[in-house]
Amino acid sequence: MAELKSVGKPVRKKDAMQLLLGKPLFVEDVTPRDALVVKVLRSPHANAKIREIRTENAMKVPGMVAVYTYRDVPQKRFTMAGQTYPEPSPYDRLLLDQHLRFVGDAVAIVAGETEKAVDKAMKLIRVDYEVLEPVLDFHTAKDNPILVHPEDNWRSLCPVGADNRRNLCASGQEGEGDIDEVLDSCPVVIDHTYHVKACQQAMMETFRTYTEIDRYGRLHVISSTQIVFHCRRIIANALDIPKSMVHVEKPRIGGGFGAKQTVVAEVYPAFVTWKTRRPARMIYSRKECQIAASPRHEMEVHVRLGATQEGIIRGIDLYTLSNTGAYGEHGPTTVGLSGHKSIPVYTANLEAFRFTYDVVYTNRQSAGAYRGYGATQGLFAVESAVNELAEKLHMDPLALREKNIVREGMVMPAYYHETANACALDRCIEKCAESFNWKEKYPVRDMGNGKIRAAGVGLSMQGSGISGLDVGSATIKLGDEGIYNLMIGAADMGTGCDTTLAQIAAECLDCDLDDIAVFGADTDASPYDSGSYASSTAYVTGKAVEKACLELRENMRRIGANMLGCAPEETVFSGKGVSRADGSASVSLMDIATRSMAGNNIPVQVTVSHSSPVSPPPFMAGMAEVEVDTQTGHVELLNYSAVVDCGTPLNPNLVRIQAEGGIAQGIGMTLTENVTYTAKGRVMEDSFMQYKIPSRLDVGKLQVDFACSHEPTGPFGAKSIGEVVINTPAPAIAHAIYRATGVWHRELPITPEKILMSMDHG
């Protein structure tokens, strides 16, 4: 393969200087200030019905424009989940509902000229609630006589095993082989349940949206969203207006991590603008992000794992109970990953597997998409069970894994029977063990001062887009001076995809990165793209960019051939222009661009859509070294080493910081990020004073490296990177804590209190 000029190079992000210099880039920066302030009055009860709501005193406040209640909104249910239509998530929401289903649910939309007026008015709205008994424990939700969604117009568009009369958002079972017979014949069976709570994405830019009526009478939405095209559909459904009347675009996004794959805020200012015909803006407070957003699904994963005395894993039985909360956004789809992205890691000797799941409604904050999307919960459980097996067999956990892991060329029955065409998981483990110094750090070391050091390990896999479903598109256009415009519908949310996709274009067109100007994402101007989620952008949209650029190259050769008076086959494309193969004559890109504007029938603007029938998994090995203070239970993470197989790293700098960021989030959910509820269903951790995300000081020494493979279906051999990186810290750190204390912790987060209370202090 020829030396690549742009792909694989650690080039600086295209927007780096604008961000560094604090230029106006985000929703609040780039939209007019004189918009109506929109806020939502929220329910203080976990389950209640509005008997009466009085707004007249609120409307007397100077500067107030409108207060909308459930009587003012369309009565057609919709989903806020940003997924391809027909959405697997049920249509279970109204913009405002008389029935309120969690503490924080929307009671009224309040709009005024100033924030002061709106805040005052919200205190003057009088609501008489009929308080109902809530379903707060997700263990008792299924077939509970209390129904979270008793309404007759609840709808599930896809066959996902949903039944609102049973509090089921989804349920299902799949498998191969006789799992019960295999487990019964195994001399060693690990049988435990693991619990992951509903942690928050905690992105720095909260949910925010600006809306206005454009010069054609359409609703123009500028929002911090990962999913401009899905967002358009959801807003149209919520307002019950034609989708053609909605135009959505996104500026820079100050972090999303999946939270902004759900239309959390957009519908409220959109409704205000549609009713008043005035610009409106809604900006979530941090408290609202904590109590009324779209956190990770709480899941309890029951694992039964059977093996021989020699450590051959023969069967895995998984049951996942997932808590979707009050609404079903992403409920039916996140749960699948808890099995599909954990069981296949141990494909080598697997004789049977079973994966069963229930996703239940409760009267808690509605869950949504969060980096890892269910794989995080499933991998914590399965990887912990494998570590428990290693300890039970007195085997080195790396040696145990080497006997059982998926390897290149293997078919993965638990992963839709896909073949691992590019898999360097074995090399990830080997390289990680070397850089981490596993042989020295794995043995438990008593430091002599009440502190004990130990190490642990975890593996993970994810996917690259949703196979057979996600569509990535790209438009590439030759401009006047021989430079290019790349238009995409995927959203750069800090990942650097604008830069990475431009690198692919520059490689294909043999030009400098600066010659590619990137635009996106805008539903009126961008080609259709499913959006930035499911680790799809580099793999799916990247392939669309590659295909579009190669097609444009051929078109430019055809125009060049016409100008040179020869057949296209007699020409070569050089990056600077087109020349005869014999080198006797050439025309520049600027010449071709000029010719394309007069008497020309060959397009110099090409749009290509791409969808993949497979979703090749990236793989990862992670190893953690901790120091546990046995007197206080405090855990200090000293070192974390990770090696990732993401195929070809398109931009080593960007994939490295993706990995470091994901690992930091995984560390946070393992050790400090806690969600607790009062007896009446109120979230206790409603600010960063209580909900503790890790700082740079909390993540120890991070070391990230890559074991490259070449994915034949990806652009230049690339697979995804965005999500796989968050999944190894939880099992690795839990393993290390067990090694240090002798106690397994099967619920996250593993706090000092839990560690201290669990230890035998004699």
Side-chain angles (χ1 to χ4, degrees):
M1 189 174 176
E3 173 72 20
L4 299 176
K5 295 179 181 177
S6 293
V7 165
K9 300 296 185 280
V11 299
R12 192 169 69 186
K13 285 174 65 175
K14 278 187 164 286
D15 58 355
M17 292 309 295
Q18 297 294 95
L19 289 163
L20 189 64
L21 297 171
K23 299 297 183 185
L25 296 166
F26 302 97
V27 171
E28 201 174 1
D29 304 326
V30 300
T31 53
R33 297 271 169 201
D34 57 346
L36 295 179
V37 174
V38 178
K39 294 194 179 188
V40 166
L41 180 70
R42 300 190 179 277
S43 171
H45 305 293
N47 193 13
K49 286 188 175 176
I50 300 172
R51 283 203 194 99
E52 185 183 7
I53 182 165
R54 301 183 62 180
T55 62
E56 58 271 22
N57 287 339
M59 285 302 296
K60 290 175 184 175
V61 174
M64 277 305 300
V65 173
V67 178
Y68 299 107
T69 71
Y70 70 90
R71 297 188 186 93
D72 303 308
V73 302
Q75 294 303 300
K76 284 175 67 176
R77 294 198 177 266
F78 66 98
T79 178
M80 286 186 178
Q83 297 175 295
T84 301
Y85 182 84
E87 303 98 328
S89 297
Y91 278 32
D92 56 9
R93 279 196 188 257
L94 296 175
L95 250 174
L96 296 169
D97 204 327
Q98 187 176 9
H99 187 174
L100 306 163
R101 295 175 172 83
F102 71 98
V103 176
D105 210 352
V107 174
I109 304 170
V110 187
E113 305 281 0
T114 65
E115 188 169 17
K116 188 176 179 181
V118 170
D119 288 344
K120 186 174 181 181
M122 286 174 72
K123 294 174 184 172
L124 298 174
I125 297 171
R126 295 289 172 258
V127 189
D128 180 15
Y129 297 101
E130 178 191 351
V131 179
L132 307 170
E133 187 181 346
V135 183
L136 295 175
D137 182 353
F138 73 139
H139 299 98
T140 64
K142 182 179 174 181
D143 295 323
N144 195 301
I146 300 167
L147 295 181
V148 179
H149 283 278
E151 64 271 13
D152 293 332
N153 59 352
W154 177 97
R155 285 193 300 146
S156 178
L157 277 62
C158 296
V160 293
D163 185 348
N164 63 317
R165 296 289 163 182
R166 300 183 63 198
N167 281 337
L168 277 177
C169 177
S171 62
Q173 179 175 322
E174 57 193 83
E176 285 189 22
D178 190 332
I179 186 65
D180 292 315
E181 183 183 333
V182 168
L183 291 178
D184 285 346
S185 66
C186 285
V188 185
V189 176
I190 302 297
D191 185 342
H192 290 297
T193 299
Y194 303 84
H195 183 205
V196 178
K197 294 186 179 181
C199 42
Q200 292 284 357
Q201 298 87 345
M203 62 282 166
M204 295 313 294
E205 183 197 28
T206 62
F207 302 97
R208 50 196 60 198
T209 301
Y210 169 87
T211 53
E212 65 185 6
I213 301 296
D214 72 13
R215 59 189 178 278
Y216 302 110
R218 299 165 73 217
L219 182 64
H220 179 206
V221 179
I222 301 174
S223 185
S224 186
T225 178
Q226 300 170 219
I227 42 153
V228 290
F229 288 97
H230 296 328
C231 189
R232 175 176 64 183
R233 177 178 67 250
I234 295 163
I235 290 170
N237 286 346
L239 274 56
D240 197 18
I241 62 177
K243 294 168 187 64
S244 59
M245 294 303 290
V246 184
H247 166 206
V248 180
E249 63 174 305
K250 67 116 197 125
R252 289 288 96 186
I253 301 175
F257 310 116
K260 293 169 183 175
Q261 194 195 334
T262 303
V263 180
V264 173
E266 288 86 343
V267 293
Y268 303 115
F271 183 73
V272 169
T273 291
W274 193 250
K275 296 291 277 189
T276 65
R277 318 307 283 180
R278 293 182 59 179
R281 191 203 324 260
M282 184 172 197
I283 295 175
Y284 265 49
S285 65
R286 183 58 61 184
K287 180 176 179 178
E288 286 178 298
C289 287
Q290 291 295 117
I291 68 165
S294 54
R296 189 182 296 286
H297 285 74
E298 177 186 22
M299 289 187 193
E300 204 170 73
V301 184
H302 179 202
V303 183
R304 290 197 303 154
L305 185 148
T308 67
Q309 290 287 0
E310 295 72 37
I312 300 297
I313 297 173
R314 296 178 55 208
I316 300 176
D317 187 13
L318 215 68
Y319 170 68
T320 302
L321 178 63
S322 177
N323 184 359
T324 194
Y327 300 96
E329 278 90 21
H330 303 279
T333 41
T334 47
V335 72
L337 277 67
S338 69
H340 296 147
K341 305 292 168 72
S342 59
I343 299 170
V345 174
Y346 298 98
T347 290
N349 307 298
L350 208 63
E351 297 169 34
F353 77 91
R354 179 168 56 202
F355 173 38
T356 318
Y357 56 86
D358 288 312
V359 184
V360 294
Y361 283 115
T362 62
N363 292 113
R364 293 197 170 183
Q365 178 179 191
S366 177
Y370 184 3
R371 191 180 204 166
Y373 202 81
T376 314
Q377 297 93 311
L379 281 159
F380 170 59
V382 170
E383 287 300 297
S384 292
V386 171
N387 285 330
E388 295 197 38
L389 174 65
E391 295 294 336
K392 194 168 187 177
L393 296 175
H394 305 291
M395 284 183 70
D396 184 303
L398 303 192
L400 176 69
R401 284 173 167 84
E402 283 166 10
K403 293 183 178 189
N404 294 289
I405 57 168
V406 61
R407 292 173 187 264
E408 194 155 289
M410 287 184 181
V411 175
M412 299 172 281
Y415 189 62
Y416 317 107
H417 284 272
E418 283 194 24
T419 301
N421 290 318
C423 174
L425 182 56
D426 53 345
R427 286 190 283 119
C428 287
I429 297 171
E430 185 182 328
K431 198 170 180 178
C432 195
E434 187 180 333
S435 63
F436 181 74
N437 198 359
W438 176 262
K439 286 180 180 175
E440 182 184 307
K441 290 179 179 172
Y442 179 61
V444 177
R445 288 148 288 147
D446 190 330
M447 307 309 290
N449 55 358
K451 295 181 179 180
I452 299 175
R453 290 187 179 182
V457 62
L459 307 182
S460 74
M461 64 174 271
Q462 198 77 32
S464 300
I466 304 171
S467 56
L469 189 68
D470 279 351
V471 173
S473 301
T475 298
I476 187 78
K477 179 171 66 172
L478 177 66
D480 292 19
E481 295 185 343
I483 52 90
Y484 301 97
N485 294 92
L486 176 63
M487 285 155 278
I488 57 172
D492 190 331
M493 49 182 171
T495 55
C497 79
D498 284 2
T499 306
T500 303
L501 296 175
Q503 285 179 263
I504 293 172
E507 193 67 55
C508 294
L509 295 166
D510 196 12
C511 66
D512 292 337
L513 188 66
D514 289 342
D515 290 339
I516 309 286
V518 186
F519 171 82
D522 184 313
T523 57
D524 276 8
S526 300
Y528 176 80
D529 196 289
S530 301
S532 295
Y533 60 89
S535 298
S536 64
T537 306
Y539 175 73
V540 180
T541 308
K543 197 66 177 177
V545 171
E546 183 185 350
K547 286 180 170 181
C549 291
L550 294 177
E551 190 176 322
L552 178 60
R553 274 179 68 140
E554 292 309 303
N555 287 0
M556 291 189 292
R557 281 181 66 198
R558 288 166 59 201
I559 295 172
N562 288 342
M563 297 170 73
L564 294 167
C566 62
E569 304 81 55
E570 298 174 59
T571 66
V572 292
F573 178 82
S574 67
K576 302 294 184 186
V578 172
S579 58
R580 283 178 176 266
D582 61 11
S584 60
S586 65
V587 288
S588 69
L589 286 181
M590 193 182 297
D591 295 334
I592 294 170
T594 303
R595 171 55 67 91
S596 74
M597 299 175 201
N600 172 56
N601 296 311
I602 301 168
V604 289
Q605 176 170 311
V606 173
T607 299
V608 169
S609 293
H610 174 71
S611 188
S612 175
V614 294
S615 176
F619 298 94
M620 177 184 183
M623 297 176 188
E625 181 188 22
V626 304
E627 183 174 87
V628 179
D629 186 331
T630 57
Q631 302 303 309
T632 65
H634 175 72
V635 175
E636 185 178 351
L637 180 64
L638 302 174
N639 292 286
Y640 199 94
S641 289
V643 178
V644 187
D645 163 23
C646 59
T648 301
L650 296 171
N651 184 319
N653 280 4
L654 296 183
V655 294
R656 179 167 278 105
I657 60 170
Q658 282 259 37
E660 290 173 355
I663 290 166
Q665 286 180 309
I667 291 166
M669 65 177 280
T670 306
L671 294 175
T672 59
E673 297 179 38
N674 205 4
V675 177
T676 52
Y677 282 83
T678 66
K680 293 188 176 179
R682 181 174 66 82
V683 175
M684 300 281 279
E685 294 78 12
D686 62 3
S687 80
F688 283 164
M689 293 297 287
Q690 294 85 22
Y691 188 80
K692 299 187 182 299
I693 62 173
S695 75
R696 182 64 189 88
L697 300 176
D698 300 310
V699 297
K701 181 186 173 188
L702 297 184
Q703 185 175 355
V704 174
D705 210 339
F706 301 93
C708 299
S709 62
H710 189 275
E711 172 51 48
T713 63
F716 297 96
K719 299 187 288 187
S720 75
I721 183 71
E723 292 181 276
V724 68
V725 292
I726 199 173
N727 299 327
T728 59
I733 294 169
H735 185 201
I737 291 171
Y738 163 78
R739 298 276 298 165
T741 65
V743 179
W744 286 107
H745 290 271
R746 302 185 183 100
E747 180 186 74
L748 302 181
I750 308 171
T751 60
E753 293 88 342
K754 288 180 184 175
I755 292 171
L756 202 60
M757 297 286 280
S758 69
M759 290 176 66
D760 182 4
H761 289 275

